[in-house]
Amino acid sequence: MIRVSRFAATALLLVSTATASSAIQQASPITVDAQRARRDLLAEEDTDGDRRITRDDGRRRTGSRGDARFEMVGLDGRTLVVESTYHLANLLQELTLAVDAGDTTWRVDLERVRENPVRRISRLVRTLYWDNLTRRIDAQHLDIVLPDDKMPDQKTRYLYVPDDDDRAYAYFSEAVRVGGVQGVRVERLPESVTPQFVQSLEGRHGLLTLALEPTEDGSLRGVPYVVPGGRFNEMYGWDSYFETLGLLVDDRVDLARAMVDNFVYQITHYGKILNANRTYYLTRSQPPFLTSMTLAVYERIRARPGAREWLARALRAAIREYESVWTAQPRLTACGLSRYFGSGAGPPPEVEPGHFDAIYAQYAGDMDVRRFEQLYVAGDIGPVPELDAFFVHDRAVRESGHDTTYRWHAQGDRCADFVTVDLNALLHKTEIDVARTIRDEFGNSLEVAPGQSHTSALWYERARRRRELMRRYLWDEQHGMFFDYDFVNQRRHAYFSATALYPLWAVHADDPTTRIVDRARARRLVDNALRKLEKPGGLAASASDFSEAHPQAPPRQWDYPYGWPPHQMLAWRALQNEGFDAHAIRLAYKWLYTIVRNAADYNGTVPEKFDVVRRSHRVFAEYGNVGTTFAYITREGFGWMNASFQVGLQLLPEHAGAALEELQTPEDAFR
């Protein structure tokens, strides 16, 4: 039972005149010098100098500094006293927005300063974060989208256009020539993009163009897309699905549709949805969500003119990728299920220097590790089969989106040797999506190529066959769990991952024939998964078993104790599909509480991921935590975290939403 109590984080907000006898007048806010007020606020309350006001500042309190109480004097001599870390952080953010807008003075907006954190996060996602995460690749935005902090040393910036897009090549060549853009080269990709070609681009990697659309005046502009976070300027494969769900909640339907259009462009011109649209990602994809993404958008535009034609284009693209990428060599295996596999040789170019030092050290002998790396990448060292194999598996991990994890650690890290639960569940969802859409929207026949049509029966049969294979190879009756299958050694790998719940998501809840396991097994799966994976802050990416058995192993970010938005969102829907609504609500509440608590305590921080055991954004494994480093105010949060918040709020019933606004802990709310 949810219990609702008064929001514990509310603190005093007092407005008074300069005379002690004057009454408090909250309805009459003061006007302040914005720059000065911000400077004074930081001087008094930012005790650690990070240009934010967080609960950590109170721990560094010296005298009146960091006492979570700030008094401002208005231009008319009246004063405003603001108390509590949360409200002071809001004040800092609002002052910053005023300064950024060029305002020399600011009339204090008390409603914004004391805004409930749940409503504040949701409002900022809706009105600020999505816009700040949106990009376009066109003449007006090249200076924004071309920079790549993964390639900081490249002096020339490259923009690559598909060989078969003459319009785009002419447009961008003219844009660079006429616009006088310095240090930019527009290049065509070859007709056939091979791993050898991609490897030859060392020092010349660049951005890949996306779709263009005509404007009312007949010119062209880039079709917009959403990036994951502030350090990225490219569109990522699986992030985009979850971002799209958030966009639809916030009625950003046209932007959500544009995301699909850009994916259709990628499949049409690059052969697949890319890990992201940079040249070093040309040889790998990411988890396939296109049909789910397309149908979610279609439900919102089906009444518009041309909606069915748009749906047909997207469906044809998804079918092309399914047949030419996911169910073809090298991703299709002899057991009939698919694996992740990124083509190419050597280390992935986008990884920062030093990332693989420990790996190279195993083969370098007495040679300097960095020198060995240079020679290996250049091909000036003879074959090193074990190292070559390591990078084959590393690329597969990156295509999976779970980079990195110990999930495929069995006699080394061997992702490419596994058919995985998540990928095959996604392909099953694709199959039943295509089948139902052909049946319901296209009279049971869709032309996929001139003279070639598909019926729903073909796709229902593909789904039936995949279900049978998933039960045979991926379902473990003893553990009551789905596990990835090592097809090289012909055995399941008992690693408890949040991806075990994907098969419950990858069905149509109103069609029992699409179920991958029966209800009894589904209940066992839910019980076992939650027992292993449910933590105070939500669902962990994996169980603690591996870290307990290997305490010296460095932590990896897609493992215990970390939790990620896509796992939460898919789990909520999976549980709802099976009728476990109470579990879904509880997990969503835990996740949303973690977001709100961290934002309230840490100046509005909305990060990429969390430590769900400690309910903390302080994640130091591997790449750190994008979205936690900023000054004054977070400008964009993080794409799929934003989406998880908006989607999760819709899932909560009214009484749970009220408890969240009161910042009740899950332990109190679900006693």
Side-chain angles (χ1 to χ4, degrees):
M1 177 68 68
I2 297 283
R3 296 189 306 106
V4 180
S5 63
R6 193 174 64 83
F7 173 38
T10 300
L12 297 176
L13 275 169
L14 308 178
V15 179
S16 65
T17 65
T19 61
S21 60
S22 299
I24 294 174
Q25 295 290 334
Q26 289 198 17
S28 180
I30 64 174
T31 299
V32 298
D33 180 313
Q35 284 273 19
R36 178 179 177 181
R38 187 174 75 170
R39 183 191 66 220
D40 293 347
L41 174 60
L42 289 172
E44 187 170 322
E45 294 299 327
D46 178 23
T47 63
D48 58 8
D50 65 356
R51 291 178 292 176
R52 288 176 282 176
I53 296 175
T54 72
R55 62 180 300 178
D56 291 343
D57 291 310
R59 296 178 180 137
R60 297 174 175 84
R61 182 179 303 163
T62 57
S64 63
R65 289 200 73 210
D67 62 356
R69 186 180 189 277
F70 179 65
E71 181 175 319
M72 288 186 296
V73 179
L75 299 179
D76 60 0
R78 290 186 303 146
T79 62
L80 168 68
V81 177
V82 180
E83 295 184 329
S84 94
T85 295
Y86 172 68
H87 293 112
L88 290 170
N90 285 355
L91 176 62
L92 175 61
Q93 294 167 46
E94 295 301 322
L95 285 167
T96 296
L97 290 173
V99 170
D100 288 351
D103 299 332
T104 57
T105 62
W106 180 57
R107 185 173 174 81
V108 178
D109 187 337
L110 292 177
E111 293 304 313
R112 289 290 169 84
V113 172
R114 63 190 173 200
E115 187 174 22
N116 182 277
V118 175
R119 299 178 188 180
R120 183 175 181 83
I121 296 168
S122 184
R123 178 182 61 80
L124 289 173
V125 170
R126 185 173 62 254
T127 62
L128 182 66
Y129 297 170
W130 290 134
D131 287 336
N132 286 344
L133 289 172
T134 299
R135 306 283 189 274
R136 292 179 187 266
I137 303 177
D138 55 26
Q140 289 72 41
H141 299 95
L142 287 181
D143 284 340
I144 296 173
V145 297
L146 284 172
D148 181 8
D149 71 355
K150 297 181 291 302
M151 297 286 164
D153 298 328
Q154 283 191 193
K155 292 181 173 55
T156 300
R157 294 174 295 174
Y158 290 85
L159 181 66
Y160 288 89
V161 182
D163 172 72
D164 57 356
D165 193 346
D166 293 336
R167 183 180 72 163
Y169 184 74
Y171 169 81
F172 285 109
S173 297
E174 182 72 1
V176 169
R177 185 184 68 80
V178 174
V181 183
Q182 300 299 311
V184 175
R185 291 187 59 175
V186 179
E187 302 275 0
R188 274 189 191 268
L189 292 174
E191 182 178 357
S192 175
V193 174
T194 65
Q196 292 72 30
F197 166 76
V198 176
Q199 193 172 24
S200 75
L201 292 177
E202 189 68 31
R204 296 183 294 117
H205 282 292
L207 188 70
L208 299 166
T209 59
L210 295 177
L212 295 167
E213 62 184 3
T215 63
E216 291 182 358
D217 64 5
S219 61
L220 294 174
R221 66 177 180 180
V223 173
Y225 60 95
V226 174
V227 300
R231 70 183 288 257
F232 302 103
N233 288 313
E234 57 273 0
M235 181 182 186
Y236 278 77
W238 72 319
D239 295 67
S240 296
Y241 169 64
F242 301 97
E243 292 160 355
T244 294
L245 296 182
L247 291 171
L248 293 174
V249 170
D250 287 334
D251 293 323
R252 304 293 296 271
V253 178
D254 289 336
L255 183 52
R257 174 175 175 165
M259 301 276 277
V260 174
D261 291 339
N262 276 314
F263 276 163
V264 171
Y265 180 92
Q266 288 188 29
I267 294 171
T268 302
H269 295 285
Y270 303 118
K272 56 182 169 292
I273 292 174
L274 301 171
N275 187 149
N277 58 308
R278 297 277 183 188
T279 50
Y280 43 75
Y281 292 136
L282 276 165
T283 61
R284 65 180 188 259
S285 185
Q286 275 202 325
F289 284 93
L290 183 55
T291 57
S292 296
M293 188 171 168
T294 298
L295 292 173
V297 173
Y298 181 66
E299 285 304 308
R300 301 291 295 275
I301 68 168
R302 62 164 56 247
R304 296 185 186 181
R308 283 186 74 256
E309 291 76 11
W310 177 86
L311 176 63
R313 284 194 299 274
L315 205 64
R316 291 187 187 105
I319 290 171
R320 173 181 169 181
E321 185 185 48
Y322 170 93
E323 293 184 336
S324 64
V325 176
W326 297 110
T327 60
Q329 295 295 332
R331 291 171 179 84
L332 182 65
T333 69
C335 73
L337 295 174
S338 297
R339 63 171 175 169
Y340 293 113
F341 189 90
S343 301
E350 77 276 11
V351 173
E352 67 277 7
H355 183 80
F356 293 116
D357 280 0
I359 301 299
Y360 289 129
Q362 299 175 32
Y363 303 95
D366 295 332
M367 189 184 302
D368 176 74
V369 168
R370 209 48 62 81
R371 176 61 178 160
F372 176 86
E373 177 183 11
Q374 292 172 350
L375 294 173
Y376 174 74
V377 171
D380 294 333
I381 289 180
V384 189
E386 296 87 354
L387 188 54
D388 295 342
F390 169 84
F391 285 117
V392 168
H393 295 299
D394 180 81
R395 290 171 185 275
V397 171
R398 295 175 191 282
E399 182 168 89
S400 80
H402 293 76
D403 45 330
T404 64
T405 170
Y406 288 108
R407 183 170 143 205
W408 302 294
H409 187 79
Q411 295 86 50
D413 292 308
R414 299 188 299 108
C415 178
D417 291 346
F418 288 83
V419 293
T420 68
V421 175
D422 48 330
L423 175 56
N424 286 282
L426 292 174
L427 294 176
H428 179 263
K429 180 65 159 49
T430 297
E431 289 156 353
I432 58 175
D433 282 347
V434 173
R436 285 169 62 104
T437 306
I438 290 176
R439 183 194 68 191
D440 297 343
E441 300 291 339
F442 298 103
N444 208 30
S445 179
L446 176 71
E447 186 177 62
V448 297
Q452 180 185 0
S453 294
H454 284 190
T455 66
S456 62
L458 168 68
W459 287 88
Y460 276 127
E461 174 57 23
R462 287 175 168 176
R464 185 202 64 76
R465 175 63 175 160
R466 189 173 303 278
R467 286 195 296 275
E468 180 182 288
L469 293 172
M470 289 178 70
R471 292 166 189 154
R472 180 188 308 171
Y473 292 109
L474 305 179
W475 174 254
D476 190 287
E477 186 68 24
Q478 177 184 351
H479 290 89
M481 285 288 288
F482 279 104
F483 292 132
D484 299 329
Y485 179 73
D486 179 349
F487 64 86
V488 172
N489 294 299
Q490 299 184 349
R491 62 191 180 203
R492 282 184 290 275
H493 184 50
Y495 192 91
F496 288 82
S497 167
T499 57
L501 291 169
Y502 277 44
L504 304 186
W505 170 86
V507 302
H508 285 277
D510 62 348
D511 184 354
T513 66
T514 66
R515 299 179 62 88
I516 299 174
V517 291
D518 59 36
R519 291 199 177 276
R521 288 181 172 84
R523 178 173 292 279
R524 287 185 65 202
L525 170 60
V526 169
D527 289 346
N528 293 329
L530 296 189
R531 176 173 53 83
K532 285 281 192 178
L533 304 173
E534 184 175 356
K535 303 302 173 188
L539 204 65
S542 70
S544 60
D545 301 19
F546 184 89
S547 59
E548 290 169 356
H550 303 83
Q552 303 306 314
R556 292 181 175 175
Q557 64 174 359
W558 281 93
D559 285 325
Y560 175 90
Y562 308 121
W564 291 77
H567 288 166
Q568 317 303 315
M569 297 169 75
L570 292 180
W572 301 340
R573 174 55 62 188
L575 292 166
Q576 288 180 306
N577 284 346
E578 292 295 333
F580 296 111
D581 294 69
H583 288 327
I585 291 168
R586 185 182 67 254
L587 284 175
Y589 190 97
K590 286 185 169 187
W591 183 252
L592 297 182
Y593 176 82
T594 302
I595 297 173
V596 177
R597 185 75 268 175
N598 278 264
D601 289 345
Y602 289 95
N603 209 102
T605 293
V606 179
E608 177 187 33
K609 55 185 174 286
F610 284 109
D611 178 330
V612 292
V613 174
R614 297 188 300 124
R615 292 187 185 133
S616 173
H617 68 278
R618 297 183 185 278
V619 176
F620 304 109
E622 297 188 303
Y623 305 101
N625 200 358
V626 182
T628 59
T629 303
F630 58 88
Y632 308 124
I633 180 174
T634 178
R635 309 288 174 162
E636 62 277 309
F638 197 87
W640 58 20
M641 189 68 76
N642 301 340
S644 72
F645 194 75
Q646 304 299 69
V647 171
L649 283 181
Q650 283 205 323
L651 180 61
L652 295 186
E654 184 177 353
H655 57 286
L660 186 65
E661 290 194 3
E662 296 291 341
L663 270 186
Q664 278 195 47
T665 67
E667 292 77 18
D668 284 341
F670 290 88
R671 271 197 280 179

